[in-house]
Amino acid sequence: MGILNRLDQLQLLVVTGKGGVGKSTVTAALGAHLANRGRKVLLIEVDPRENLHQLLDTPPSGGEIVEAAANLWIQHIDPRELLDDLVREKLKVGALVRKVLASPVHLHFTEGAPGLKQTAVFGRALRMVEGHGPKELRRPDVVILDAPASGHGIAWMAAPQLVSEVISSGPIGKMAAEIATFLADRERFGSIVVTTAEEMPVQEVLELLDAMSTRLDRRPELVVVNSIYPKAPEAHATDDDATRLWIRRRQVNEAELARLAAEFDGPVAEIPLEPIDAGPALVGVVGEHLTDAFEDG
Ligand SMILES: Nc1ncnc2c1ncn2[C@@H]1O[C@H](COP(=O)(O)OP(=O)(O)OP(=O)(O)O)[C@@H](O)[C@H]1O
Ligand SMILES: [Mg+2]
């Protein structure tokens, strides 16, 4: 199955990768691409530094679902608020809710329990694709989660399973188990890994591929290798420093692409480094490169 058919089928996609490699740019470009194909797309951003709206030229979400273009919505989510909502929803008695929310134990638990925030974010995404969204967007066809760079992508993808193992009973345990089942469903959930063709980010991708295959028995649907230097001229002894730098960076990019290809035989989209600042213009050009890559693959 081609990569586009695969992406068209999925209801939830998570975009992960090391800090600054281009996750948000790729999320915005991919979202616009799928929206153009007629799918209703919701992009969820978790990073406290909200920036998807700048990339799509819309006002900030401030927690609301904002329509950025036809078929394309964005929402900024604070995982702490989600967890508080969860307490409110699961414990319906007002006084009890207030007590739990105010208690240092709740704070300590929600800040300290590994995987709980990630689980809550996935839980929200799942509710949306199951048709329980607010009236602005009752049921997106696909939710794309722009995961924050902190920690490896595996910390996101394996979180619900971890939580369901630790908290095996009660409403939170039940929710985590449902989400873990959803994330294990190849027909519905997939991941996209973004990297640059540099040593450290590629190393992290290789580790992620390994962790995904051993812990989840899965691999990403797509690896996006972003910000690749243009093809360099032949090296000459007379080259100036800038040319030598260019040739060298391009060599590193090619070596790292080869290192990745040796470990990953799935779809790879290569995106060049563009002389364009962050914003809608860059998102548009990255989207064109993605489209080309999808047509080739
Ligand atoms: N192909 C590209 N060519 C040129 N610049 C790019 C390209 N892709 C991304 N950038 C730039 O790199 C920077 C980081 O991109 P982006 O914010 O999308 O990364 P990120 O992975 O979401 O970062 P963070 O981890 O901080 O959330 C931005 O300034 C963006 O404009
Ligand atoms: Mg980002």
Side-chain angles (χ1 to χ4, degrees):
M1 188 191 287
I3 171 67
L4 257 185
N5 289 331
R6 180 87 188 103
L7 295 181
D8 273 345
Q9 171 191 51
L10 298 170
Q11 293 182 303
L12 176 60
L13 273 164
V14 60
V15 178
T16 72
K18 217 173 160 59
V21 294
K23 294 177 297 296
S24 298
T25 307
V26 167
T27 300
L30 179 70
H33 181 89
L34 295 177
N36 278 332
R37 290 171 65 79
R39 301 199 81 204
K40 274 199 262 175
V41 183
L42 172 65
L43 308 180
I44 291 184
E45 172 177 45
V46 186
D47 198 305
R49 303 162 306 155
E50 225 182 309
N51 71 16
L52 274 181
H53 66 281
Q54 284 161 346
L55 303 184
L56 291 164
D57 205 15
T58 47
S61 142
E64 301 300 314
I65 294 180
V66 174
E67 189 166 6
N71 284 334
L72 183 62
W73 289 263
I74 62 172
Q75 184 177 29
H76 180 263
I77 276 181
D78 175 356
R80 254 218 71 85
E81 280 171 24
L82 281 189
L83 287 168
D84 291 354
D85 285 353
L86 207 65
V87 168
R88 273 189 209 101
E89 191 187 299
K90 302 290 179 196
L91 305 176
K92 298 208 168 64
V93 190
L96 189 57
V97 170
R98 281 193 294 280
K99 218 166 157 179
V100 171
L101 290 181
S103 100
V105 175
H106 169 67
L107 197 71
H108 189 73
F109 177 68
T110 54
E111 289 299 325
L116 207 54
K117 284 183 183 173
Q118 289 89 338
T119 302
V121 172
F122 278 131
R124 170 58 60 90
L126 187 56
R127 268 179 38 185
M128 297 288 299
V129 296
E130 288 184 337
H132 306 296
K135 62 178 187 315
E136 307 91 273
L137 180 61
R138 192 70 74 200
R139 180 181 216 137
D141 297 318
V142 59
V143 172
I144 308 178
L145 174 65
D146 179 7
S150 56
H152 278 213
I154 194 74
W156 274 86
M157 284 178 261
Q161 197 184 326
L162 178 73
V163 170
S164 77
E165 281 162 11
V166 175
I167 315 172
S168 53
S169 62
I172 307 252
K174 185 163 167 275
M175 182 190 80
E178 274 167 26
I179 298 165
T181 304
F182 181 88
L183 298 190
D185 185 346
R186 289 175 165 72
E187 311 277 295
R188 301 179 76 190
F189 170 73
S191 60
I192 294 179
V193 179
V194 184
T195 184
T196 51
E198 304 285 335
E199 188 185 345
M200 294 306 289
V202 168
Q203 187 59 36
E204 197 168 302
V205 174
L206 299 184
E207 287 163 14
L208 175 65
L209 291 173
D210 193 45
M212 277 183 76
S213 95
T214 49
R215 288 171 62 178
L216 306 171
D217 189 26
R218 293 205 61 172
R219 65 171 199 183
E221 321 310 309
L222 173 70
V223 174
V224 178
V225 183
N226 189 27
S227 299
I228 300 175
Y229 272 77
K231 205 167 162 20
E234 290 291 319
H236 294 288
T238 54
D239 285 339
D240 57 25
D241 286 350
T243 309
R244 287 213 307 274
L245 175 68
W246 173 15
I247 293 169
R248 182 65 199 128
R249 294 327 300 165
R250 173 72 193 193
Q251 280 170 348
V252 168
N253 286 170
E254 286 175 3
E256 292 301 325
L257 277 164
R259 198 156 73 102
L260 177 67
E263 301 291 328
F264 182 69
D265 61 1
V268 174
E270 296 180 16
I271 314 277
L273 181 64
E274 293 286 350
I276 308 173
D277 287 344
L282 179 62
V283 170
V285 171
V286 168
E288 285 167 21
H289 289 300
L290 273 180
T291 308
D292 291 346
F294 291 158
E295 277 161 9
D296 295 344

